[in-house]
């Protein structure tokens, strides 16, 4: 196997050339006629809805494929043919040429090995005799001292683990870095840091293949964009080929004057034997209004929502609903139970794997509104259909629904109670733009009928658009509260300022990138 | 039989013999006066000796005492000692004998087993007559006294013997090592008076029945004691192992409590004696290796009355007696335990046979460890086995009002008196006649249903010669100084 | 690719001994008692050491051999399962501690000791042995059920069901119970074979049933001396016993395999 | 870590204390006492009664228990009621045989089971995997007494190749004594252990970090040895601890059949003869061994995979 030296390639040649890539699994076609290129020092983005074939295409760069999937076409990486018409070739480009970062890199670290050992192992494998680890650590913005290297993965925070995985990939000194959905679950500040890191790496001459449905991120980074749909390239070019997000039709709250429907005073919550997670939070929601809640990851948003929903029982302070004290869920009356509903952040976990989704959704109407099973089912099917989930899909057990479909089913499950207060915890994370549009539309309609919403999200733009009132939480306290437009345009607290500025990634004007030292260091010992 | 082989083969010298006995785990002891298990007895027989031993018919024979002589009342006995040396080279003296007797009867050591049988010995009046003669005086006359000196736990130890873990005896083997429940090793004693042992080294091992069988078959032992009939049957099919069988040596019986309903009724006792199918019990439980019993202990021993008719099964008469006693279709519990081979099996078969006579017997199994003691107090009928012992001793131990092990609760003052009267008779034939009458009474009225006399089975590897077919508790049983390896 | 032992074979292996155990005693065998360890002569499988017909013993000997084990496991699950479920579903931490801690403390108690004490104290009582075997299993079962139930009871699914105001029964039988069922079913397979072993060993060692009891394990134990004279007295009950445990092992293996596959459904 | 050790130690002390009381109560429930066990046809009831007094069995149970606890705390396990010798000697002797058997068994089982487990795990559901699974499952389904009876009948009695019993054998001189007992214990232990190793291997092979390491170019051999094996070993080590527990605590059947003077035999004998100090001593030693083994297993697992939960 002859490997051309890196310098031999003319700069005009792409690092990766994919031509007419096809992937089939039995009769089904996962990817068809996909072509794209990755250039040194540049970022190529593969975008497209979930299931459009991004991961399948990217793994082909390693010559890998899923169980019983057949690859065809041609993939050339750094001058080596990795896939030809007979499928993957003998060429081995793993690590040395192409480094792949999976979607949840945290779990990609061996729990049994110190991170230093893992890095040194890769160093010895790919670049024996050279000291590449410190460089990789620096690029991944990790300290390179002995103490850090002697720690085990579980001794790092989620964000740090992501960077360790990156450092591992960089230790291989690959020519091409493949990143699969690197921004899922990140708050806007962390996401902004990622953009900075990736820019720097590209600047050093690395070719980057970015797979994402986060269009803002793509806009901020990509030199070339390839749009996939159902396994086929539907557009390619610069960032101008990116689909524009649908306009959200937003109606702002009506019942300004009415009494607050849900109110919390001096709400503090804690987990057994730990620091309080929430400290003295006050909030109130009017009927027909929407309260947006934003904040960095781990700031306590979900905990707040669970307190309101009555699921988190260890809290101090008072929650009132419709003028009366609202107890914890176990002690609520059936009516209170029906009128306050909650949509889980972790949807997958909130469904019973063994029963069809539609049955589980319909159960709400049966138990809380006294419907008969058949009526309830019809109602469930109708609501799900409005959210874009067909009856056929909903008749399956949850494991066979996509994340986005399940998220909508969870919403439907709560809506079937016809609640007066609906608490939504990150209900659009797994949705593409179209799905988000459907959800927002339905909730706007309910709002007009007087339903109050508590809307938790990392997507500042979306929250600003739908909320009447915005709450910014930082480390369990309210950092700022006010009308969304005001908060967004004139943030008064530091967190808000940074969240807002960071959220403008990929939007014009390109934001300045203020990174305080606490962002990279805060989670270290 | 071994007699023929013995004549044919010339005795060989040397070698190591490993003999396996039923083990007693932690219960095994080195103290010859505390013994109770066969393995203990064999061990002590190798190292120590008694004044008197029992012959094949359970009749006393001289050992350390060359001869003995009672006075006319059988109260004072003179024993003449043999000229032998201890393992440490000293000679046997009258002090040794007196010390040993005192040690056996020491009331402050309740575990000395001969204590009760030697209770009649008046230690204060016992004395040395000369260097080789001791005079033993009894509190009450007893013509059977020499047999008592041949009982369990009557070994002669040297004067001042304190530490049983450093055994010194006059026996054919000298002590090397001992581990309770596992093994004892001994070497032959070069100055043994009765002919130096032929084997060089003796290992006495402890193991349960299965391990004994496997060991002797697999060549890990040359001698295995107390084997089952099934093993004998299997072994006889092969060539590696010989069986030495002492015919009808012990007694298997059911004991009925004569003081408890329903067995306080002599008719019921007789009915049970009549309903039992002895031959079937012998065929099944003893796998044919035994003789049918006649409700008497001691078949083939000294004083066993000859000429008594064998009791046969008579279901009709049994049924009639049971009907008379109102026992038909009543349930009676039979108490047994896996304490001795064949107990539960025999009880189960008896239950079947009683069923044929219209009585329901329910088999209750107790703890094998405490069975002997439990049998004294529990149940109305139970399984029973008796080892070999002289017939008068059997009477003393089990059939007198004050007998410690009176499992049939047979308490008749007249019977006690008659036995006492017989025991003082110095004339052996007169004594035998009296004993015979008493035995007839027990057979017809007593609570002992002796159904069989199992053979005592020993397995030896084919190269072992000189093993005698004699009942347990006799001189030649478990004795290794006359044995040799061909 | 379904190349594990066919279910039918495993089922057959389990069912034959089970059917013999259940219906055997109803089948009349009129065999006159013979001599010990006889072959032929009106005894298709010969006779045992007591001259009893081996076939007849085989037909009646399964009730205790399998019944005691199955009973013990059933009792262990009734008691242990209840403790585990209550401990997992209680909101009071002290109750959980009260139920589970003592079991932790009992864990190092050698099961052999418990069984030998019971065997010596209550000689030859099938009920006592069954209870002892059950007792030995309770701590493990309770912990297993508690762990499985705890996983389920603290999952968001249960919260979601509560949000829908599902009844206690609906939640615990409909969801928690079913979630526990998987691990329990897998455990049940191995536990029953282990219990059969344990009961059989106890009987084999003479610590259990009476030595003349018509029980497969007792037969094996009591007749092994005559193995070379009349092998069927040992082999026939041994074959039935092994068939049962083997079949159960195979079924349990399948079950574990299936639950693992179900858990591996791509997400 | 230190808090963990302290908690573990406290629990262990509590467990031992409760255990001692329990063992005492359990054995006291049994009918009869050690003096009764001495009863024979030649010892009269009076002799037995004075023996009981000599053994101190006529004292109230609480007093005897207190006495025993006092002795144990001062490092003395007491004396046997039956043999009169020190309990420590009995414990030592029986532990010796059991330890030899356990070590010999594990020395065979561990390499075999680990090799089989990895083989099966790396060929999940392949022909080899299914074949080995079927064989080990079948072997583990045969009760050990059946295996033992058959092995003895064939190899000792029929063929005469191997000794069938430890009686009359010297372990040092003839280690072949171990062959049959170990053979009997092999089936089930290998089955259980290899299946845990197999499951661990499969889990580790499917784990994201192994997939990722492979994607970063770690070669297969190294992947198996450095990434899969340590993680796969965790369930194996736990199972090994359980196996160790079982082997040390109760292979009564094997001990009985081969006449091995081991732990289980001593324990059952102790119970049967109501030799309370012996039972107490043996249980205590066994419980300590079990606690130490499990602690060791947890520590090893934590060492292998530091994240694994220490306290359940
Ligand atoms: N091994 C396989 N066998 C059959 N179908 C598969 C296999 N792997 C993936 N698929 C299907 O191929 C399609 C493309 O999958 P791929 O993972 O490439 O999508 P993606 O664009 O990365 O989606 P996402 O954004 O959700 O990660 C999906 O419909 C998926 O269900
Ligand atoms: N059960 C728990 N035990 C310990 N800590 C917890 C628990 N639940 C939450 N926390 C901690 O409380 C803090 C707030 O968590 P919460 O889930 O409310 O955050 P969030 O704002 O919803 O974050 P995200 O945006 O990532 O969903 C976090 O630091 C989290 O680690
Ligand atoms: Mg993907
Ligand atoms: Mg959250």
């Amino acid at each position: 196997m002859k490997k051309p030296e890196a310098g031999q390639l003319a700069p005009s040649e792409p690092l990766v050339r994919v031509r007419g890539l096809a992937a089939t699994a039995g009769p089904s076609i996962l990817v068809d006629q996909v072509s794209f290129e990755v250039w040194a020092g540049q970022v190529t983005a593969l975008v497209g809805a979930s299931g459009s074939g991004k991961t399948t295409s990217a793994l082909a760069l390693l010559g890998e494929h899923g169980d019983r999937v057949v690859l065809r076409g041609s993939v050339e990486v750094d001058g080596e043919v990795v896939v030809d018409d007979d499928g993957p070739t003998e060429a081995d480009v793993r690590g040395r040429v192409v480094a792949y970062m999976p979607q949840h890199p945290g779990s990609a670290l061996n729990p049994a090995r110190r991170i230093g050992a893992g890095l040194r192992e890769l160093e010895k494998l790919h670049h024996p005799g050279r000291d590449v680890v410190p460089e990789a650590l620096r690029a991944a913005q990790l300290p390179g001292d002995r103490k850090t290297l002697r720690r085990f993965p579980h001794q790092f925070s989620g964000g740090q683990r992501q960077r360790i995985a990156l450092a591992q990939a960089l230790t291989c000194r690959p020519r091409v870095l493949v990143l699969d959905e690197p921004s899922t679950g990140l708050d806007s500040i962390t996401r902004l840091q990622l953009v900075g890191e990736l820019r720097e790496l590209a600047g050093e001459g690395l070719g980057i293949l970015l797979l994402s449905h986060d269009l803002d991120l793509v806009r901020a980074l990509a030199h070339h964009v390839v749009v996939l749909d159902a396994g086929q390239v539907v557009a390619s070019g610069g960032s101008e080929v990116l689909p524009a997000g649908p306009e959200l039709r937003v109606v702002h709250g009506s019942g300004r004057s009415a009494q607050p429907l849900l109110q919390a005073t001096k709400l503090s919550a804690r987990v057994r034997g730990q620091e309080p997670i929430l400290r003295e939070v006050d909030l109130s929601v009017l009927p027909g209004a929407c309260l947006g809640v934003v904040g960095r990851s781990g700031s306590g948003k979900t905990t707040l929502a669970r307190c309101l929903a009555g699921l988190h029982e260890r809290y101090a302070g008072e929650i009132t609903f419709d003028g009366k004290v609202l107890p914890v869920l176990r002690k609520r009356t059936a009516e209170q139970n029906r009128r306050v509903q909650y949509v889980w952040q972790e949807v997958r976990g909130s469904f019973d794997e063994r029963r069809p989704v539609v049955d589980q959704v319909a159960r709400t109407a049966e138990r809380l509104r006294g419907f008969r099973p058949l009526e309830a089912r019809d109602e469930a099917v109708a609501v799900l259909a409005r959210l874009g989930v067909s009856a056929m899909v909903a008749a399956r057990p949850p494991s066979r629904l996509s994340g986005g479909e399940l998220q909508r089913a969870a919403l439907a499950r709560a809506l079937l109670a016809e609640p007066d207060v609906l608490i939504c915890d990150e209900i659009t994370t797994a949705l593409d733009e179209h799905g988000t549009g459907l959800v927002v539309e339905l909730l706007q309609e309910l709002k007009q009928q007087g339903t109050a919403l508590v809307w938790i999200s990392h997507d500042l733009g979306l929250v600003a658009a739908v909320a009447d009132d915005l709450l910014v939480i930082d480390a369990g306290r309210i950092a700022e509260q006010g009308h969304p437009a005001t908060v967004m345009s004139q943030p008064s607290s530091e967190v808000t300022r940074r969240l807002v500025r960071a959220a403008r990634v990929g939007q014009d004007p390109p934001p300045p990138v203020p990174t305080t030292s606490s962002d990279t260091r805060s989670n270290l010992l | 039989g071994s007699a023929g082989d013995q004549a044919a083969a010339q005795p060989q010298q040397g070698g190591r013999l490993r003999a396996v006995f039923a083990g007693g785990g932690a219960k095994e002891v080195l103290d010859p006066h505390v013994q109770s298990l066969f393995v203990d007895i064999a061990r002590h027989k190798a190292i120590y000796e008694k004044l008197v031993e029992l012959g094949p018919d359970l009749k006393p024979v001289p050992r350390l005492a060359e001869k003995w002589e009672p006075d006319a009342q059988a109260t004072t006995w003179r024993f003449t000692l043999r000229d032998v040396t201890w393992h440490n080279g000293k000679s046997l003296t009258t002090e040794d004998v007196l010390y040993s007797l005192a040690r056996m009867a020491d009331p402050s050591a309740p575990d000395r087993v001969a204590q009760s049988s030697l209770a009649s010995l008046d230690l204060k009046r016992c004395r040395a007559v000369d260097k080789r003669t001791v005079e033993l005086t009894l509190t009450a006359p007893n013509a059977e006294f020499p047999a008592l000196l041949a009982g369990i736990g009557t070994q002669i130890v040297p004067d001042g013997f304190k530490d049983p873990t450093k055994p010194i005896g006059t026996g054919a083997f000298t002590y090397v090592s001992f581990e309770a429940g596992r093994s004892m090793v001994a070497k032959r004693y070069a100055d043994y008076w009765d002919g130096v042992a032929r084997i060089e080294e003796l290992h006495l091992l402890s193991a349960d029945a299965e391990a004994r069988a496997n060991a002797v078959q697999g060549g890990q032992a040359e001698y295995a004691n107390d084997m089952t009939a099934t093993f004998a049957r299997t072994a006889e099919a092969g060539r590696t192992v010989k069986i030495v069988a002492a015919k009808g040596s012990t007694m298997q019986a059911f004991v009925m409590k004569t003081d408890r309903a329903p067995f306080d009724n002599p008719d019921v006792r007789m009915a049970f004696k009549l309903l039992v199918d002895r031959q079937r019990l012998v065929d099944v439980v003893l796998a044919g290796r035994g003789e049918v019993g006649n409700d008497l202990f001691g078949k083939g021993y000294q004083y066993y009355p000859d000429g008594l008719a064998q009791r046969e099964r008579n279901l009709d008469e049994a049924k009639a007696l049971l009907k008379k006693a109102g026992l038909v279709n009543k349930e009676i519990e039979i108490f047994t335990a896996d304490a001795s081979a064949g107990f539960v099996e025999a009880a189960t078969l008896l239950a079947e046979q009683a069923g044929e006579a219209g009585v329901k017997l329910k088999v209750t199994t107790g703890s094998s460890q405490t069975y002997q003691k439990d049998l004294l107090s529990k149940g109305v009928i139970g399984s029973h086995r008796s080892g070999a012992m002289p017939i008068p001793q059997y009477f003393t131990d089990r059939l007198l009002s004050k007998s410690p092990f009176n499992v049939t609760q047979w308490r008749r003052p007249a019977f006690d008196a008659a036995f006492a009267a017989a025991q003082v008779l110095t004339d052996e034939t007169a004594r035998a006649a009296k004993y015979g009458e008493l035995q007839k009474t027990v057979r017809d009225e007593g609570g002992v249903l002796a159904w069989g006399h199992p053979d005592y089975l020993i397995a030896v590897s084919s190269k072992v010669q000189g093993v005698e077919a004699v009942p347990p508790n006799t001189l030649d049983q478990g004795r290794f100084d006359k044995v040799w390896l061909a | 690719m379904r190349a594990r032992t066919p279910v039918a074979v495993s089922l057959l292996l389990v069912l034959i001994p089970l059917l013999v155990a259940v219906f055997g005693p109803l089948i009349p065998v009129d065999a006159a008692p013979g001599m010990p360890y006889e072959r032929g002569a009106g005894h298709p499988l010969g006779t045992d050491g007591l001259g009893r017909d081996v076939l007849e013993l085989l037909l009646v000997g399964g009730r205790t051999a399998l019944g005691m084990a199955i009973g013990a496991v059933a009792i262990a699950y009734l008691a242990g399962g209840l403790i585990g479920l209550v401990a997992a579903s209680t909101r009071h931490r002290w109750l959980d501690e009260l139920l589970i801690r003592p079991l932790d403390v009992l864990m190092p108690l050698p099961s052999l000791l418990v069984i030998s004490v019971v065997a010596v104290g209550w000689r030859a009582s099938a009920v006592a042995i069954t209870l002892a075997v059950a007792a030995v299993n309770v701590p493990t079962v309770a912990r297993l059920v508690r762990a499985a139930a705890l996983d389920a009871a603290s999952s968001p699914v249960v919260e979601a069901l509560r949000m829908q105001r599902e009844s206690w029964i609906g939640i615990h039988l409909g969801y928690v119970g079913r979630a526990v069922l998987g691990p329990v079913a897998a455990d049940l397979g191995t536990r029953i074979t282990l219990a059969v072993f344990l009961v059989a060993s106890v009987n084999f060692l003479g610590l259990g049933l009476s030595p003349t009891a018509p029980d497969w394990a007792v037969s094996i134990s009591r007749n092994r001396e005559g193995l070379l004279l009349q092998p069927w007295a040992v082999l026939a009950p041994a074959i039935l016993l092994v068939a049962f445990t083997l079949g159960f092992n195979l079924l349990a293996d399948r079950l574990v395999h299936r639950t693992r596959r179900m858990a591996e459904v791509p997400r | 870590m230190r808090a963990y050790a302290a908690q573990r130690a406290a629990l262990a002390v509590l467990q031992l204390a409760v255990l001692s009381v329990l063992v005492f109560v359990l054995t006291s429930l049994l009918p009869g006492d050690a003096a009764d066990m001495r009863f024979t046809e030649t010892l009269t009831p009076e002799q037995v009664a004075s023996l009981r007094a000599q053994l101190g069995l006529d004292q109230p149970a609480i007093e005897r228990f207190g006495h025993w606890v006092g002795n144990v705390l001062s490092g003395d396990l007491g004396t046997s009621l039956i043999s009169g010798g020190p309990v420590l000697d009995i414990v030592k002797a029986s532990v010796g045989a059991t330890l030899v058997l356990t070590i010999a068994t594990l020395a065979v089982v561990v390499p075999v089971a680990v090799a089989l487990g990895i083989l099966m795990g790396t060929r999940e559901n392949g022909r080899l995997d299914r074949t080995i699974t079927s064989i080990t499952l079948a072997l583990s389904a045969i009760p050990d007494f059946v295996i033992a009876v058959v092995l003895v009948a064939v190899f000792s009695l029929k063929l005469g190749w191997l000794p069938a019993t430890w009686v009359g054998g010297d372990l040092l001189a003839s280690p072949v004594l171990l062959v049959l007992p170990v053979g009997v214990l092999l089936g089930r232990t290998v089955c259980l252990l290899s299946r845990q190793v197999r499951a661990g291997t499969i889990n580790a092979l499917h784990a994201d970090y192994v997939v990722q390491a492979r994607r970063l170019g770690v070669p297969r051999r190294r992947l198996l040895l450095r990434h899969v094996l340590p993680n796969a070993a965790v369930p194996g080590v736990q199972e090994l601890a359980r196996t160790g527990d079982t082997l040390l605590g109760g292979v009564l059947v094997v001990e009985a059949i081969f006449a091995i003077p081991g732990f289980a035999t001593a324990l059952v004998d102790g119970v049967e003869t109501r030799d309370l100090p012996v039972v107490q001593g043996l249980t205590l030693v066994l419980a300590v061994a079990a606690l130490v083994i499990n602690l060791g297993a947890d520590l090893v697992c934590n060492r292998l995979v530091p994240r694994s939960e220490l306290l359940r």
Side-chain angles (χ1 to χ4, degrees), chain B residues 284-296:
Chain B
V284 173
V285 179
L286 307 182
R289 299 267 177 173
E291 288 167 31
V292 169
N294 199 13
D295 297 339
L296 273 185

Side-chain angles (χ1 to χ4, degrees), chain A residues 25 28 30 49-57 66-67 69 103 181 213:
Chain A
S28 55
L30 316 183
S50 176
S52 57
K54 302 186 292 290
T55 303
T56 308
S57 306
D67 193 18
V69 173
Q103 192 156 348
E181 304 280 6
H213 60 222

Side-chain angles (χ1 to χ4, degrees), chain C residues 61-86:
Chain C
R63 282 217 172 152
T64 44
L66 303 184
M68 282 165 74
I70 294 173
V73 171
I75 295 169
Y77 260 97
L78 271 183
L82 199 68
I83 293 176
L85 267 185
V86 171

Side-chain angles (χ1 to χ4, degrees), chain B residues 18 20 25-28 34-36 107-116 152 179-180 182 205-208 210-211 213-215 217-218 220-221 367-370 372-373 376 384-387 389 397-398 404-405, chain D residues 31-33 36-48 50-52 54 80 82-84 90 93-94 97 149 152 156-157 162-169 177 256-259 261-262 269 272-275:
Chain B
R18 290 164 300 181
V20 227
K27 278 189 189 172
E28 294 181 10
V34 183
Q35 60 174 299
S36 63
S108 70
D111 49 358
R112 305 272 153 86
V113 289
Q115 215 171 84
S116 63
I152 299 178
E179 234 182 309
R182 312 250 174 105
L205 310 170
S206 309
D208 65 8
E210 185 177 20
N214 286 339
Q217 270 186 314
Q220 274 122 287
S367 154
S368 56
Q369 296 285 331
T370 50
Q372 297 279 63
K373 177 182 156 279
L376 277 179
H384 177 71
R385 168 188 191 276
S386 188
M389 62 178 88
D397 281 358
R398 289 154 214 244
F405 201 62
Chain D
D33 60 18
D36 289 332
M37 299 304 138
R38 295 280 199 87
F39 179 89
T40 56
E41 295 157 27
T42 45
L43 281 193
T44 60
E46 295 78 48
Q47 278 174 293
V48 170
S50 64
L51 205 61
R52 177 169 297 125
Q54 258 186 11
S80 159
I82 296 297
S83 76
I90 296 180
S94 57
V149 167
V152 167
S156 302
L157 304 185
L162 293 166
T165 166
W166 282 29
V167 170
L177 286 179
I257 288 179
F258 296 101
D269 273 356
E272 291 206 324
T273 55
R274 317 291 189 273
D275 196 348

Side-chain angles (χ1 to χ4, degrees), chain A residues 23-59:
Chain A
T24 48
S28 55
I29 297 167
L30 316 183
V31 159
D32 191 25
Q33 290 302 320
V34 167
S35 307
F36 59 87
E37 275 137 22
V38 180
W39 302 76
Q42 297 192 341
V43 178
T44 301
L46 286 184
V47 298
S50 176
S52 57
K54 302 186 292 290
T55 303
T56 308
S57 306
L59 280 178

